[in-house]
Amino acid sequence: MYGFILIIILFLTGCQTDQAVHPTDLMMTQDDLIKQEIELTPSLAPLPECGPHDVIEKVLMEKFKEKPLLAGGYMDNSIMQLYAGPEGSWSLVREIGAITCVVAAGYGLQMVNPPLASAI
């Protein structure tokens, strides 16, 4: 359970930014924000949603150059893994038995406050 909490914390800290919000960003309509989100979010189309672990891992490594960064057990005995690529791409997968599913994927992953080695 602590591993899953660590993954969530690292995910949320990666969402933080020190960039100031521009006033025009606050004036965008909801439709504009949705359109912007669709344009900026990478498509999951090249990724199979679920499949054998080795197939999913091969796609993540070959197509996106992502390697496992974190892994942790979940309450239902599944395993959550965060894959990260050298250019900041990331994928969160959940392994349940022999099947692995891509739960989420994105870009811009940054280590904001790296944990001390003794904390892991």
Side-chain angles (χ1 to χ4, degrees):
M1 175 155 175
Y2 292 110
F4 180 72
I5 292 171
L6 179 61
I7 288 173
I8 296 299
I9 290 171
L10 288 173
F11 174 74
L12 292 176
T13 57
C15 295
Q16 296 176 356
T17 180
D18 60 352
Q19 297 175 354
V21 175
H22 194 275
T24 57
D25 291 339
L26 300 174
M27 294 183 263
M28 295 177 77
T29 67
Q30 185 174 6
D31 289 339
D32 290 337
L33 290 171
I34 292 170
K35 182 180 176 185
Q36 180 183 28
E37 186 68 22
I38 291 170
E39 290 171 355
L40 295 177
T41 302
S43 170
L44 286 176
L47 285 175
E49 292 180 30
C50 294
H53 180 76
D54 57 337
V55 171
I56 299 294
E57 188 170 64
K58 183 178 179 181
V59 170
L60 294 175
M61 288 183 175
E62 290 179 0
K63 189 161 187 77
F64 302 102
K65 308 294 186 251
E66 293 179 356
K67 296 180 181 177
L69 177 66
L70 298 169
Y74 191 57
M75 293 180 286
D76 63 357
N77 293 325
S78 64
I79 298 171
M80 300 293 285
Q81 289 185 296
L82 180 65
Y83 285 74
E87 301 297 320
S89 67
W90 59 269
S91 299
L92 182 63
V93 302
R94 183 175 182 197
E95 185 177 340
I96 306 167
I99 300 298
T100 297
C101 297
V102 177
V103 177
Y107 61 94
L109 183 67
Q110 299 176 23
M111 188 68 74
V112 178
N113 293 314
L116 300 173
S118 62
I120 298 179

